[in-house]
Amino acid sequence: MAEPNPETHVIAFRAAEQLLDARDPRGAIKLLDTVIAAHPESRSARLLRARAYFASAQLRAAEREFQHIVDREPDNAFAHFALARTFQRAGRPEQATRHFRLAAALDPKPEYLEKAGFDTAE
């Protein structure tokens, strides 16, 4: 069987985005597994797969993927925020708070500040 060309992986990634938007996270995961097998360090594919795991309530897998991104991009506020939400949903509030605060420190978006418990009133 011939190896898929890089365009095939781009198409699979875009299709996975559409599946996730259409609330089919498991379908997205299947497509992303092939993309990540070919490109294991693709942070965009890993981030999308982490979101799909989260959306399908596969919290351990989501945690593993978000942590993979945070380990390689410690300044990625969204990855910290998403990891915090994963910990929160898994009933691990101390770990969630740590990552909510890191996300807010990296990017003071109102949503991040609120979840971190920081007072946004001047």
Side-chain angles (χ1 to χ4, degrees):
M1 184 172 180
E3 278 291 311
N5 65 38
E7 291 170 358
T8 303
H9 297 133
V10 172
I11 293 166
F13 179 85
R14 296 294 178 218
E17 286 179 317
Q18 291 177 346
L19 286 171
L20 189 57
D21 288 344
R23 298 181 188 251
D24 182 4
R26 291 182 186 275
I29 291 165
K30 286 180 186 174
L31 288 174
L32 291 165
D33 285 346
T34 61
V35 174
I36 292 168
H39 307 281
E41 289 303 314
S42 171
R43 293 191 185 117
S44 58
R46 285 188 173 273
L47 188 58
L48 187 60
R49 185 167 71 173
R51 290 177 46 222
Y53 280 137
F54 183 84
S56 65
Q58 297 180 58
L59 300 181
R60 289 279 184 206
E63 175 187 340
R64 189 173 51 248
E65 289 294 336
F66 286 128
Q67 188 65 59
H68 179 88
I69 294 161
V70 165
D71 289 346
R72 284 153 183 80
E73 291 182 39
D75 60 343
N76 186 322
F78 176 78
H80 280 286
F81 184 77
L83 181 58
R85 289 184 58 219
T86 303
F87 284 137
Q88 183 180 49
R89 195 167 169 192
R92 296 159 63 189
E94 294 83 16
Q95 290 167 295
T97 298
R98 177 177 181 267
H99 287 280
F100 279 136
R101 289 182 177 167
L102 284 166
L106 290 165
D107 186 357
K109 288 183 179 179
E111 180 181 9
Y112 293 2
L113 293 169
E114 179 185 333
K115 286 289 193 177
F118 296 137
D119 184 11
T120 57
E122 298 274 326

